[in-house]
Amino acid sequence: MSYQVLARKWRPKNFHELVGQDHVRRALVSALDNDRLHHAYLFTGTRGVGKTTIARIIAKCLNCETGVTSRPCGECSSCREIDEGRFVDLIEVDAASRTKVEDTRELLDNVQYAPSRGRYKVYLIDEVHMLSTHSFNALLKTLEEPPPHVKFLLATTDPQKLPVTVLSRCLQFNLKNMPPERVVEHLSNVLTQEQIPFEDAALWQLGRAADGSMRDALSLTDQAIAYGQGHIDAAQVSEMLGLVDQRHVGALIDHLISRDAKALLSEVTRLSEQAADFETILSDMALYLHRMAVAQLLPDAVDNAQGDREQVLTQAARLTAEDVQLYYQIAIKSQEDLPLAPDARTGFEMALIRMVAFAPQGVPSEGGSPLSSQAMPMQGQPVSEGAPENDAPQSGQPDSTKKKELTDLSLTEPPQSAPVPQPVAQGVYGIPDDPQNIALNPDTPAPEPQLVKFTPPAGGSPKPTDQTTPPVSEASADEGRFGDTQPQEAGSRVQSARASLGSGLRTVQFPSASADKISQASKRSAIPSQETGADHLRLHNSVNTDPGSTPEKTPATGNDIPPWEVVPVLSEPNPIAEPNPIAEPNPIAEPSPVAEPNPIAQEHPSPPADQPTQTPAPPTPEYQDMMPEPMSEAVKQAPALRDTALPETAEVEITPLVGPCPEQLNTNQDWLQAFAHLPLKGLDRSLAKNAALLSREGTHLQFALKAVTENFLTPERQASWQASIQKLFNEPLTIEISAFSTDLDTPEDYEAALKQRRQQQAEALFARDPVIQALQQNFDAQVLSESVEPLI
């Protein structure tokens, strides 16, 4: 007895032996058991997934001598003849070899006759998409209303080529590809019953190489048995399939983890000596990295397909999740770039170099130890020498916790018993620098001091010289805000939190005012800040005239500024203010004396008539140069045509974008109409698009270029332009550029004018539509002209 290949020997004989395709099996078994059979079935799917097998099982279920059932006996004469391919009432047709309409007519001539042996006459048409159009048309009527004793079973790998008239007459089932897990399970069962020794890693290689086809998997298994002389070994299967041993992939991943560039390139050299397929190696590395990512997320879900589960778990523990994702992404993208590389090895080495070079730990060295990176030190690492202390994060406390702590502290209301010192801010949104211009009203509650981000002078923070006078510092301000209970601890907490936000935030230094200036301020009226609109912030600072008064919390508004935000400081000239001798920050902040009530100062006093109105200073010329030019919202109009005219069309039509090509190229009008038909692309087409035809003498054409420099015109572009004209008109025409400016129309102008006319025509047709007019009349609708565009 001759040898029978595994793919034919292990073909399923009934639905319960069918591997996979549970969605198809469930529907067909239910239809057979409940006598709800359709007259035409269509099975689609890739090769080797069971289309013909399912069709033959249906034929056995319909013609089994025990009756119509989902469990054919397999022992009666009908079942045996169908298995052996000699059942007279099962007509199998290869549509690829019988595509003519005469073959289809001959096939349908016997449809009207009753079956000879079985209960149904079954027509199995394989690769039905290969039939011709006339064959489909001849089949439609019979396929729609066949005799009651006829069933049609169609199978195809390309359902997109079937007419919709055929698809609508069939009950369609789409068979899925076989996953590697299902293929390995079936191969393990087959080889166990065949008593052939095998390795699980070899079966996984065969399952992935089958690419979803069970028949391909069984055929490869036959080849592997012959290659391994009666047993299936993983190494021999790798050699047979041209794959790379997984030990090489694990070694590459291990060198990536240790960041040893020299060992990586040495491993590539060894793979190159074995004539390895580097595209396959990249794919295997991506699969390996995917298993590592699964191991980091769910270790129990890692399979032992290659017998290296412990190695995958160990290597996954040595890498961060970010590194695994980075390596996986580079491996996937490098497969796209590999065909563009000078050779496969170069592309593969560049992929490995990118994996090592883009890792966040720094640039690797020859021995594998990473060099120092230029990035900022990570959490837990020591701060490099020379870095400011305020920039270093506090030990054991992340930045997010410090930011939250700062926010909570800034929202804490001050106690009612603690006095709040009121510093004087200079030049903030219209507030004059001179303290004489500050209203001193004892009846007005003192607002909460605002924290202003301020960059200290280059000389560093000034140091106090008089120890008897307490300086106005952030610590003293925080003491008033957070209460007198442990003021130093609260101040240190705020200072620590602000230091963690970066080196840009420093302690606020307010200018101090002398006693004589304060006394002068009580004799003058306050000049209010000019209104600048609802979108601007106004900062009002006043001096508390009553030391025993209780500060009140200002109501929270949308303009509250957190301590870490930047408050812009604008200096505006005050024409009535005296020169401020304390413009520079004074390290010594003097206490504000108690001033007498000023009956003239009000909340919003009007300036006297004899005083000029304060106006903001105009922007400097340097700032004016940096401002962008205002953009015009006017629609750009197409240039008017001078020597040509657009084609005439009816009022209810839209001018075609591409008109008919002229037979001759004699005038500029012919050139404008023929340009759309030229086989030019890219810069060559842009060159011809800005040209106008001046004249023609025999077969010689003279052109003038418009808005094109001579450097842009190269001999190659001119030769490509000339060749396209010769190909279009089938004449040995030659071209010459005789001028670089012209008043004639160019294809650029012609196309712009044509598009403008088409847009106007589309808007006119849209406006004349009765539905649009009804919407405008009934609902007062408006048409957005910019949303209307011609589609033809």
Side-chain angles (χ1 to χ4, degrees):
M1 182 178 180
S2 61
Y3 174 75
Q4 191 175 16
V5 297
L6 296 178
R8 296 184 59 186
K9 182 178 180 180
W10 291 93
R11 183 190 292 269
K13 302 296 190 300
N14 51 60
F15 285 116
H16 303 282
E17 295 180 2
L18 189 65
V19 179
Q21 317 303 343
D22 295 335
H23 63 294
V24 178
R25 174 174 54 186
R26 179 178 178 181
L28 293 177
V29 169
S30 178
L32 289 167
D33 292 342
N34 297 300
D35 196 17
R36 300 181 63 88
L37 295 172
H38 202 269
H39 61 270
Y41 290 92
L42 174 64
F43 302 102
T44 64
T46 186
R47 75 276 178 270
V49 293
K51 300 184 296 296
T52 307
T53 298
I54 293 177
R56 291 180 180 178
I57 294 175
I58 293 177
K60 289 168 58 176
C61 294
L62 294 175
N63 292 290
C64 183
E65 294 179 0
T66 60
V68 178
T69 176
S70 61
R71 293 176 177 267
C73 64
E75 298 178 357
C76 63
S77 59
S78 297
C79 292
R80 290 198 306 268
E81 290 176 4
I82 291 175
D83 290 337
E84 296 171 1
R86 55 186 180 87
F87 189 66
V88 67
D89 290 327
L90 175 60
I91 300 96
E92 293 192 22
V93 180
D94 182 15
S97 60
R98 304 185 64 179
T99 60
K100 297 181 180 180
V101 65
E102 291 82 5
D103 300 329
T104 304
R105 290 173 181 171
E106 180 183 355
L107 184 68
L108 298 178
D109 287 341
N110 298 323
V111 171
Q112 55 185 339
Y113 301 111
S116 302
R117 289 280 312 277
R119 193 176 294 106
Y120 290 94
K121 183 179 288 188
V122 181
Y123 286 88
L124 173 56
I125 306 178
D126 204 358
E127 301 300 334
V128 66
H129 67 276
M130 300 295 291
L131 292 178
S132 63
T133 304
H134 296 291
S135 299
F136 280 123
N137 294 334
L139 186 64
L140 288 180
K141 187 60 179 177
T142 307
L143 189 62
E144 182 178 6
E145 297 178 355
H149 59 270
V150 173
K151 300 294 182 183
F152 284 97
L153 304 178
L154 311 180
T156 178
T157 56
D158 195 357
Q160 306 296 333
K161 295 183 179 180
L162 294 180
V164 292
T165 53
V166 174
L167 295 175
S168 64
R169 288 167 168 80
C170 300
L171 197 63
Q172 182 175 352
F173 290 97
N174 184 21
L175 277 66
K176 302 177 182 178
N177 289 0
M178 297 290 180
E181 294 81 6
R182 186 63 59 86
V183 174
V184 171
E185 179 183 355
H186 184 62
L187 290 181
S188 177
N189 182 34
V190 169
L191 294 175
T192 301
Q193 299 189 33
E194 291 286 338
Q195 297 182 357
I196 297 176
F198 62 89
E199 294 182 0
D200 291 337
L203 297 188
W204 278 97
Q205 293 177 357
L206 294 173
R208 283 193 292 266
D211 195 18
S213 173
M214 186 63 74
R215 182 174 60 229
D216 290 359
L218 291 171
S219 299
L220 289 173
T221 304
D222 262 329
Q223 183 180 355
I225 294 173
Y227 189 85
Q229 298 180 359
H231 65 278
I232 300 179
D233 182 71
Q236 294 178 351
V237 171
S238 299
E239 294 177 2
M240 182 191 74
L241 299 177
L243 303 178
V244 179
D245 194 346
Q246 289 297 311
R247 290 176 296 181
H248 294 286
V249 178
L252 289 173
I253 298 297
D254 192 66
H255 297 328
L256 280 177
I257 296 175
S258 60
R259 302 180 52 77
D260 193 347
K262 183 178 181 180
L264 271 175
L265 297 181
S266 300
E267 189 69 29
V268 174
T269 303
R270 286 192 291 270
L271 290 172
S272 181
E273 292 175 354
Q274 300 177 9
D277 185 5
F278 290 103
E279 184 176 0
T280 305
I281 300 175
L282 272 178
S283 179
D284 291 344
M285 289 185 65
L287 289 173
Y288 198 95
L289 291 168
H290 164 259
R291 296 174 63 199
M292 293 177 62
V294 173
Q296 292 178 345
L297 182 64
L298 192 62
D300 295 337
V302 180
D303 58 75
N304 196 25
Q306 306 294 339
D308 54 355
R309 182 176 183 272
E310 296 300 328
Q311 180 182 357
V312 172
L313 294 176
T314 303
Q315 292 181 343
R318 296 172 57 191
L319 272 181
T320 63
E322 292 80 2
D323 289 340
V324 174
Q325 295 295 330
L326 174 66
Y327 295 158
Y328 178 83
Q329 191 70 16
I330 293 177
I332 292 297
K333 291 299 181 182
S334 298
Q335 294 183 53
E336 302 177 1
D337 301 339
L338 203 60
L340 305 178
D343 55 79
R345 177 178 175 178
T346 302
F348 182 72
E349 288 181 348
M350 284 300 299
L352 296 179
I353 292 173
R354 281 197 294 264
M355 291 180 185
V356 177
F358 293 155
Q361 287 84 1
V363 181
S365 64
E366 181 179 353
S369 59
L371 302 178
S372 59
S373 175
Q374 299 297 329
M376 294 297 294
M378 301 176 61
Q379 183 177 355
Q381 296 180 357
V383 183
S384 60
E385 185 178 4
E389 296 181 359
N390 290 339
D391 294 344
Q394 301 295 327
S395 59
Q397 188 176 10
D399 292 345
S400 58
T401 306
K402 297 179 180 180
K403 291 183 180 180
K404 183 177 183 304
E405 177 185 351
L406 177 59
T407 305
D408 297 339
L409 292 176
S410 63
L411 297 179
T412 305
E413 295 187 4
Q416 301 296 328
S417 59
V420 181
Q422 303 297 328
V424 180
Q426 58 175 351
V428 180
Y429 286 90
I431 300 299
D433 296 340
D434 199 336
Q436 298 177 3
N437 299 327
I438 301 176
L440 304 176
N441 193 347
D443 298 332
T444 304
E448 183 179 351
Q450 303 292 331
L451 298 179
V452 182
K453 185 175 181 179
F454 168 73
T455 303
S461 302
K463 299 181 180 180
T465 56
D466 190 359
Q467 300 297 333
T468 59
T469 305
V472 179
S473 63
E474 191 174 282
S476 61
D478 291 336
E479 180 181 355
R481 295 185 62 185
F482 304 119
D484 52 359
T485 303
Q486 296 179 353
Q488 297 181 356
E489 180 181 357
S492 62
R493 291 173 62 192
V494 175
Q495 185 69 17
S496 174
R498 289 176 181 170
S500 65
L501 297 180
S503 59
L505 194 61
R506 294 293 183 266
T507 305
V508 179
Q509 299 290 341
F510 294 101
S512 60
S514 58
D516 55 347
K517 291 293 182 180
I518 297 299
S519 62
Q520 293 178 9
S522 61
K523 302 177 182 179
R524 304 184 59 177
S525 299
I527 305 300
S529 61
Q530 197 174 23
E531 294 289 340
T532 58
D535 296 336
H536 287 214
L537 301 177
R538 292 174 296 177
L539 182 62
H540 299 281
N541 292 326
S542 60
V543 179
N544 189 4
T545 58
D546 188 3
S549 61
T550 303
E552 297 181 3
K553 179 70 176 181
T554 57
T557 63
N559 292 333
D560 289 345
I561 304 175
W564 54 82
E565 293 292 339
V566 178
V567 178
V569 179
L570 304 179
S571 299
E572 297 183 357
N574 187 359
I576 63 174
E578 297 180 1
N580 188 3
I582 54 173
E584 296 297 329
N586 192 353
I588 306 302
E590 300 179 1
S592 302
V594 178
E596 297 180 358
N598 189 359
I600 304 177
Q602 299 177 1
E603 184 178 0
H604 296 287
S606 59
D610 56 346
Q611 295 182 358
T613 304
Q614 183 178 359
T615 58
T620 60
E622 293 79 7
Y623 180 77
Q624 190 72 25
D625 295 339
M626 292 187 294
M627 297 178 64
E629 294 292 336
M631 298 180 63
S632 175
E633 298 182 357
V635 180
K636 184 178 180 180
Q637 299 294 331
L641 299 181
R642 295 172 290 274
D643 62 326
T644 55
L646 296 175
E648 297 294 336
T649 54
E651 185 179 0
V652 294
E653 297 179 354
I654 295 181
T655 306
L657 188 60
V658 179
C661 182
E663 298 181 357
Q664 298 291 332
L665 186 58
N666 297 325
T667 63
N668 193 40
Q669 178 74 27
D670 298 336
W671 163 247
L672 298 181
Q673 296 178 356
F675 173 78
H677 302 271
L678 288 180
L680 285 175
K681 296 181 180 180
L683 297 177
D684 298 344
R685 190 173 187 85
S686 300
L687 175 67
K689 197 172 186 179
N690 290 274
L693 180 60
L694 299 179
S695 62
R696 172 174 178 173
E697 298 178 359
T699 60
H700 187 69
L701 304 175
Q702 290 188 356
F703 284 92
L705 292 180
K706 177 182 179 182
V708 177
T709 61
E710 298 183 13
N711 297 331
F712 187 78
L713 179 62
T714 61
E716 292 79 9
R717 294 196 178 103
Q718 186 172 349
S720 175
W721 181 8
Q722 177 175 299
S724 64
I725 295 178
Q726 294 175 354
K727 182 178 179 181
L728 179 62
F729 292 97
N730 197 17
E731 295 183 35
L733 300 175
T734 58
I735 64 174
E736 178 188 357
I737 311 301
S738 60
F740 282 89
S741 63
T742 179
D743 294 334
L744 301 179
D745 297 325
T746 62
E748 178 77 20
D749 303 333
Y750 184 81
E751 182 179 348
L754 181 60
K755 289 183 178 179
Q756 181 175 348
R757 170 187 276 194
R758 285 165 49 84
Q759 179 66 25
Q760 296 172 355
Q761 292 172 344
E763 294 177 4
L765 291 176
F766 192 79
R768 287 198 297 267
D769 188 270
V771 177
I772 301 301
Q773 294 179 355
L775 290 174
Q776 291 177 334
Q777 294 175 2
N778 298 334
F779 301 100
D780 196 18
Q782 296 181 357
V783 178
L784 300 178
S785 59
E786 61 272 8
S787 64
V788 180
E789 59 177 325
L791 299 179
I792 59 174

